[in-house]
């Protein structure tokens, strides 16, 4: 890892730069005529709305022209998380901020991408359906939020918006954009567990129609309650705009993130609860959920060996031209490179637990490794506008999307030459004990109930040969919001996608830390064509309320995995049909108090079919999954002093038909048929609220509840096969903000104020991830 001194130097630079910016005379001038009218309070802690140049409050809307109607007239559930909620909750990651949107959980990764964002929306894995400014954000990574203006979550199958794979929904991250008004925002925070974070958000007006915006972030700290787990990161967002506010505009943006941290694979599961037939050793207790009853701060990695590096570089060019109200063109091109690179200790590798003569329990440390660079080139062009035909108003968008991705993968050898070997004479309690050879090569051990992450370690680390997969996709789509009458709107969407993939897997053996290539397998190029639809009918009792019913579909094609060196691409991967997901939804929306408060309610049923259910002796695609439920949402201001954001989601999920087995030529149904899906809790609640109790003082906080949540990887029609689960929990956060003057405020966040010990997620096979413990953060915010 880079030294903490490097991070602190970056923060010192950020602080110095902020001081120079604050001292710039132009920043103290009064806003020009194009500046938004500010509301009361230095940080506007009780106002989620925005205000235009005429002082009229406007609703927050998705940034993509694919949304051809305002949210209140869009017949599906969409949640917009504004920048103010990001700042007030002291969120620093995508996982932090998505906690405020009920119905979204995060799965614990396994295999290909264990250490990357893996959100589940309405029970469907959505890690590949994250977008930045409307373009798919590829590559495994743990995303930051310092450069975000808002986050848009589309819930339910949205293949017409997002293309391939969006069976549960998608997440669009809206970046901060340059404006024609000078402003400077600076924050510097410190807290328990060595937490330090500094940010700068500076915009310079370059004449009347151009602007330059700079966002900087530097941060470091320890993860509360997790021994030896720390992080350091810094980021840069730079965007230059010309022609802003005119008929022709162009914006060039560059984004960079470097994150260097100690990876955390959590605490072990104990899925085999019975001793082996030859063992007389007692079994130590596990919790009812199947998670081993070890101290929650137990860390099984090796600080001398383990690391996690995320790097992102992204270049975007956005050009727009307005010909008329009826014809507008938006063209966006992006090239990005991401890297997810890590070695992480895997607790209880192979489930092994042994009992020493002194009565202590020991476990074998395994490793998960990955070197995963991804290069992406993408382009999107939209033509949109509004026109009338025969007295019927149309708001339309037609577009084309093209992308190329190269996803490369390799693993590392971590051959141990000197380390913490397993004690001799262990009595096997669970799993397979290390052999004499593996005790030297990969058999590092530690106490199960008191692991020692600072054990000395030396060894050979080599990166294996690369495997890779290339994907190419083309999408063509069209949307139309048709105002049949003043009260009746028909919303239609259709999208055609062509998706092609080819790959090469390089097989290798490893001995004493050295790889030897044994073969290269090229999977034949395969391609798929699919069409998805959306249809919704909206009835408007009033101008600011709506009732709707909608139908939507999505398609998830298979992919060729460029995986571990011992994993070859199979012919079956090249011939599978896409999985199909359909959704039926009815709902109601209201924008109240002159657009200050938005309410929503939806009832939905999601069905996924054509899922893979059998891999031996042949592949069968007849799996079925069902999720139905109700979702309630609230966002905005009940009064000028009282702000609320959050909601409630109830989900009833079912593995209708899962993977089968064949015994003696007879197909045996999956015994888990009819049971709840993994990563799909029945109840989730999130509510963040603040109240301005005095002109300068605002108090509030958040309450988050998640019911029992089964762990699992849920590939195809899978589920929580081991029935391991994360128990229900309730988390409480506290918030306070004090305005020192009209340009400075202090903000206090106490995260997990009750110090609740809970499990964020579990993969159901290897590990469960404990949530961070209580942490206090004090932040100075300046705005000019």
């Amino acid at each position: 890892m880079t030294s903490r001194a490097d991070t602190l130097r970056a923060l010192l630079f950020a602080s110095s730069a902020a001081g120079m910016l604050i001292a710039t005379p132009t920043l103290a001038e009064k806003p020009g005529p194009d500046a938004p009218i500010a509301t009361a309070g230095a940080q506007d802690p009780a106002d989620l709305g925005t205000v235009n140049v005429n002082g009229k409050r406007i609703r927050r809307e998705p940034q993509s022209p694919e949304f051809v109607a305002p949210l209140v007239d869009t017949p599906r559930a969409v949640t917009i998380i504004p920048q103010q909620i990001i700042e007030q909750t002291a969120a620093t990651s995508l996982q932090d901020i998505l906690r405020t949107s009920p119905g979204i959980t995060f799965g614990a990764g396994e295999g290909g991408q264990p250490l990357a964002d893996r959100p589940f929306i309405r029970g469907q894995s959505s890690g590949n359906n994250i977008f930045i400014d409307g373009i798919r954000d590829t590559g495994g990574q743990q995303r930051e939020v310092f450069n975000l203006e808002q986050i848009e979550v589309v819930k339910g199958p949205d293949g017409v918006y997002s293309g391939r794979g969006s069976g549960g929904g998608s997440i669009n991250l809206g970046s901060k954009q340059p404006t024609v008004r000078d402003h400077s925002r600076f924050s510097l925070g410190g807290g328990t567990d060595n937490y330090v974070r500094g940010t700068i958000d500076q915009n310079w007006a370059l004449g009347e129609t151009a602007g330059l915006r700079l966002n900087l972030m530097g941060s470091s700290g320890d993860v509360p309650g997790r021994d030896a787990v720390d992080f350091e990161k810094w980021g840069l967002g730079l965007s230059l705009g010309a022609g802003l506010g005119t008929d022709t505009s162009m914006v060039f943006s560059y984004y960079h993130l470097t994150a260097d941290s100690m990876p955390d694979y959590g605490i072990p599961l104990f899925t085999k609860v019975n001793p082996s037939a030859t063992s007389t050793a007692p079994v130590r207790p596990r919790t009812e959920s199947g998670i081993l009853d070890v101290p929650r701060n137990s860390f099984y990695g090796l600080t001398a060996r383990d690391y996690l590096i995320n790097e992102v570089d992204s270049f975007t060019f956005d050009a727009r031209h307005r010909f008329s109200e009826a014809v507008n063109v938006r063209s966006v091109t992006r090239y990005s490179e991401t890297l997810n690179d890590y070695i992480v200790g895997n607790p209880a590798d192979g489930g092994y637990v042994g009992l020493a003569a002194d009565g202590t329990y020991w476990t074998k440390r395994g490793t998960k490794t990955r070197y995963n660079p991804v290069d992406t080139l993408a382009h999107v062009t939209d033509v949109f506008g509004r026109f009338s035909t025969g007295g019927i108003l149309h708001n339309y968008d037609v577009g084309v999307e093209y992308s190329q991705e190269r996803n490369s993968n390799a693993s590392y050898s971590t051959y141990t030459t000197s380390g913490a070997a397993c004690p001799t004479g262990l009595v096997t309690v669970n799993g397979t004990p290390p052999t004499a050879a593996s005790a030297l090569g990969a058999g590092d051990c530690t106490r199960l109930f008191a692991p020692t992450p600072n054990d000395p370690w030396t060894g050979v680390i080599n990166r294996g040969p690369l495997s890779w997969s290339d994907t190419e996709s083309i999408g063509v789509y069209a949307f139309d919001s048709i105002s049949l009458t003043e009260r009746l709107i028909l919303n239609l969407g259709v999208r055609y996608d062509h998706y092609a993939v080819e790959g090469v897997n390089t097989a290798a053996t490893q001995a004493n830390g050295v790889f030897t290539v044994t073969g290269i397998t090229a999977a034949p190029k395969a391609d798929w064509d699919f069409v998805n639809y959306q249809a919704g009918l909206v009835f408007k009792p009033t101008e600011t309320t709506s009732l709707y019913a909608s139908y939507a579909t999505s398609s998830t094609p298979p992919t060729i995995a460029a995986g571990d060196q011992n994993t070859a691409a199979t012919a079956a991967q090249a011939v599978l049909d896409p999985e199909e997901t359909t959704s039926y939804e009815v709902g109601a929306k209201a924008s109240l108090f002159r657009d200050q408060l938005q309410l929503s309610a939806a009832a939905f049923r999601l069905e996924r079919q054509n899922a893979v259910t059998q891999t031996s002796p042949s592949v069968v695609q007849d799996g079925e999954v069902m999720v139905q439920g109700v979702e309630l949402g609230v966002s905005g201001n009940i009064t000028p002093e009282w702000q609320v954001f959050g909601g409630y989601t109830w989900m009833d999920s079912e593995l209708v038909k899962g993977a089968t087995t064949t015994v003696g030529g007879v197909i045996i149904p999956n015994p888990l048929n009819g049971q709840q899906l993994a990563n799909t809790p029945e109840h989730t609640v999130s509510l963040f609220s603040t109240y301005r109790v005095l002109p300068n003082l605002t108090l509030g906080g958040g309450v988050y509840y998640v019911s029992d949540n089964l762990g699992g990887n849920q590939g195809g029609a899978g589920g929580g096969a081991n029935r391991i689960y994360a128990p229900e929990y309730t988390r409480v956060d506290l918030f306070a903000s004090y305005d020192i003057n009209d340009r400075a405020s202090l903000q206090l966040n106490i995260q997990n104020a009750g110090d609740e010990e809970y499990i964020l997620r579990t993969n159901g096979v290897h590990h469960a991830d404990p949530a961070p413990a209580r942490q206090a953060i004090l932040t100075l915010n300046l705005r000019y």
Side-chain angles (χ1 to χ4, degrees):
M1 294 181 61
T2 59
S3 70
R4 182 155 299 175
D6 292 336
T7 299
L8 294 178
R9 279 194 291 269
L11 290 174
L12 181 60
F13 167 77
S15 302
S16 301
M20 290 186 289
L21 295 173
I22 292 169
T24 305
T26 58
L27 297 180
E29 295 175 358
K30 293 182 179 180
D34 295 327
I37 297 175
T39 55
Q43 302 301 321
D44 301 335
D47 188 0
L48 290 186
T50 56
V51 181
N52 69 8
V53 294
N54 299 315
K56 180 182 177 182
R57 197 169 306 282
I58 58 176
R59 293 184 294 264
R60 291 189 177 272
E61 299 290 341
Q63 63 177 205
S64 172
E66 294 175 340
F67 287 86
V68 291
L71 275 187
V72 72
D73 298 334
T74 299
R76 65 182 309 137
V78 181
T79 299
I80 295 184
I81 306 173
Q83 180 186 355
Q84 192 157 3
I85 292 296
I86 298 175
E87 294 174 350
Q88 290 177 344
T89 57
T92 63
S93 68
L94 184 61
Q95 180 171 293
D96 286 344
I97 194 58
L98 288 182
R99 180 171 59 244
T100 64
S101 181
I104 301 178
T105 58
F106 273 75
E110 168 62 16
Q113 296 290 356
L115 297 176
D117 292 333
R118 194 165 179 257
F120 279 71
I121 306 176
R122 291 185 177 175
Q124 314 304 306
S125 180
S126 303
N128 292 324
N129 306 316
I130 299 175
F131 296 75
I132 295 180
D133 302 326
I135 294 181
R136 191 182 300 271
D137 190 36
T138 56
Q141 53 186 291
Q142 296 177 356
R143 293 167 179 85
E144 249 283 350
V145 299
F146 76 96
N147 196 45
L148 298 185
E149 200 79 65
Q150 66 181 32
I151 299 172
E152 304 152 12
V153 183
V154 181
K155 296 180 179 178
D158 65 337
V160 289
Y161 292 118
S162 305
R164 69 183 192 269
S166 46
S170 61
I171 300 165
N172 183 57
L173 311 179
S175 301
K176 295 178 180 178
Q177 299 296 315
T179 70
V180 294
R181 179 174 65 94
D182 287 333
H183 78 243
S184 179
R185 292 184 175 89
F186 165 70
S187 72
L188 181 61
T192 58
D193 301 281
N194 298 310
Y195 176 90
V196 181
R197 182 179 176 91
T199 64
I200 292 175
D201 181 356
Q202 169 67 40
N203 191 88
W204 293 275
L206 306 177
E208 296 183 354
T209 63
L212 175 66
R213 190 163 184 175
L214 171 69
N215 278 270
L216 286 172
M217 178 277 300
S219 185
S220 68
D222 303 327
V223 176
R226 299 295 296 147
D227 288 351
V229 183
D230 56 9
F231 65 89
E232 296 180 356
K233 53 187 174 180
W234 73 274
L236 164 69
L238 183 66
S239 55
L240 174 65
L244 303 177
T246 70
D247 287 342
T248 302
S249 66
M250 293 175 288
V251 176
F252 171 80
S253 302
Y254 169 67
Y255 175 82
H256 174 82
L257 176 69
T258 293
D260 188 353
S261 59
M262 178 58 59
D264 187 1
Y265 219 50
I267 59 178
L269 307 178
F270 207 18
T271 58
K272 301 174 182 178
V273 298
N274 295 319
S276 65
T278 59
S279 173
T280 59
V283 178
R284 287 298 298 263
R286 66 170 195 168
T287 63
E288 182 181 350
S289 65
I291 300 167
L292 196 62
D293 190 18
V294 300
R296 291 298 173 88
N297 64 349
S298 300
F299 177 70
Y300 296 86
L302 277 171
T303 57
R305 179 198 61 190
D306 297 357
Y307 70 91
L308 167 62
I309 295 175
N310 277 170
E311 292 183 350
V312 181
D313 286 285
S314 176
F315 303 85
T316 305
F317 181 70
D318 185 325
R320 307 184 186 212
H321 182 71
R322 173 186 168 89
F323 292 94
S324 65
E325 183 181 47
V327 181
N328 300 265
V329 178
R330 172 182 181 257
S331 183
V332 184
T333 301
R334 176 176 298 148
Y335 174 75
S336 66
E337 297 179 353
T338 67
L339 174 65
N340 193 23
D341 182 12
Y342 59 82
I343 296 174
V344 56
N346 177 20
D349 184 36
Y352 176 72
V353 174
L355 179 63
D358 62 359
T360 58
Y361 288 81
W362 291 75
T363 182
K364 180 175 63 174
R365 284 191 181 105
T367 55
K368 296 288 185 180
T369 71
R370 181 71 46 175
Y371 176 78
N372 177 210
V374 178
D375 299 338
T376 304
L377 176 65
H379 177 83
V380 175
T381 293
D382 286 278
V383 179
F384 59 97
R386 58 188 299 169
F387 63 90
S388 295
T389 57
I392 297 178
L393 179 64
H394 296 261
N395 285 276
Y396 78 95
D397 174 60
V398 295
V400 60
E401 175 186 345
Y402 174 78
S403 69
Q404 289 182 328
E405 303 168 20
R406 167 153 288 198
N407 191 320
S408 302
N409 271 296
S411 64
Y412 289 93
S413 71
T414 55
Y415 181 75
T416 301
T417 57
S418 176
C422 300
T424 59
L426 289 179
V427 176
T428 298
V429 176
N430 194 75
T432 303
T435 63
S438 68
L440 174 64
D444 300 275
C445 275
T446 189
R447 288 185 174 89
L448 182 64
F449 289 86
T452 49
N454 294 321
D455 283 341
W457 183 89
T458 56
V460 178
I461 298 177
N462 284 322
R463 193 174 73 209
L466 281 173
S467 299
W468 55 265
S469 65
D470 284 349
T471 63
E472 182 179 52
S473 64
I474 300 174
V476 180
Y477 50 86
F479 298 88
D480 195 3
S481 178
I482 308 168
S483 299
L484 302 174
T485 69
E486 285 188 1
R487 297 184 180 275
L488 201 60
I489 302 173
L490 180 63
N491 189 294
L492 300 174
V494 62
R495 176 172 174 134
Y496 161 79
D497 281 280
H498 174 78
Y499 178 77
V501 60
E502 60 182 335
V504 169
N505 274 339
T506 304
T509 59
Q510 184 263 131
N512 297 339
V514 178
F515 283 100
T516 302
V517 176
T518 58
I520 298 176
T521 304
K525 183 175 181 179
D527 55 71
W528 297 264
D529 298 277
F530 42 89
V531 179
N532 286 292
Y533 308 92
Q534 173 180 294
L537 190 63
V538 179
F539 174 71
K540 294 183 65 61
T542 68
E543 182 182 355
T544 59
T545 61
S546 64
L547 304 171
Y548 69 87
S550 68
Y551 168 83
T553 69
S554 71
S555 302
T556 304
T559 184
I560 294 177
D564 297 329
Q565 278 68 43
N566 294 323
T567 303
T570 65
Q573 289 176 297
V575 298
L576 297 180
D577 294 327
E579 295 182 358
E580 305 293 341
T581 307
T582 59
S583 175
Y584 310 88
E585 183 172 311
V586 295
K589 299 180 182 182
S591 185
L592 307 177
F593 310 143
R594 292 187 297 176
D595 295 331
Q596 291 188 74
L597 181 68
Q598 282 74 51
L599 303 176
S600 64
F604 59 88
R605 180 182 176 92
L606 180 151
E607 298 173 350
R608 180 156 56 98
Q609 299 178 327
N610 212 34
V612 177
T613 60
Q614 189 172 323
T615 57
S616 178
S618 61
V619 173
V620 178
Q621 288 187 267
D622 61 354
E624 297 180 23
V625 163
M626 182 277 296
V627 181
Q628 60 186 1
V630 173
E631 180 172 299
L632 306 176
V634 58
S635 175
N637 289 73
I638 298 176
T639 70
E641 296 79 20
W642 186 9
Q643 163 201 302
V644 292
F645 185 88
Y648 163 75
T649 299
W650 168 74
M651 290 186 289
D652 174 27
S653 64
E654 180 182 352
L655 180 62
V656 178
K657 186 176 183 181
T660 60
T661 56
T662 301
V663 179
V666 178
I667 297 178
I668 308 299
N670 194 314
L672 301 179
N673 287 350
Q675 296 195 27
Q676 178 181 331
L677 298 180
N679 304 297
T680 313
E682 184 175 3
H683 303 283
T684 56
V685 178
S686 67
L687 183 63
F688 183 83
S689 181
T690 65
Y691 191 85
R692 192 189 301 273
V693 296
L694 295 172
N696 287 3
L697 179 63
T698 299
L699 302 178
V703 178
Y704 309 100
Y705 169 79
V706 178
S707 60
D708 293 350
N709 189 12
L710 283 169
N713 296 314
Q714 198 163 316
N722 291 318
R723 316 317 291 170
I724 305 297
Y725 66 91
E728 67 175 355
Y729 69 86
T730 301
R731 166 177 168 154
V732 176
D733 294 348
L734 298 179
F735 166 88
S737 177
Y738 180 77
D739 294 340
I740 300 170
N741 53 44
D742 61 353
R743 293 186 174 184
S745 71
L746 283 172
Q747 176 177 312
L748 175 65
N749 292 87
I750 302 179
Q751 313 286 47
N752 192 10
D755 204 21
E756 177 82 358
E757 291 189 353
Y758 65 96
I759 297 296
L760 275 174
R761 54 191 171 256
T762 170
N763 74 350
V765 179
H766 287 290
H767 66 103
D769 296 339
R774 178 170 50 227
Q775 183 177 37
I777 300 171
L778 183 64
T779 305
L780 171 66
N781 296 307
L782 301 175
R783 184 177 69 174
Y784 291 82

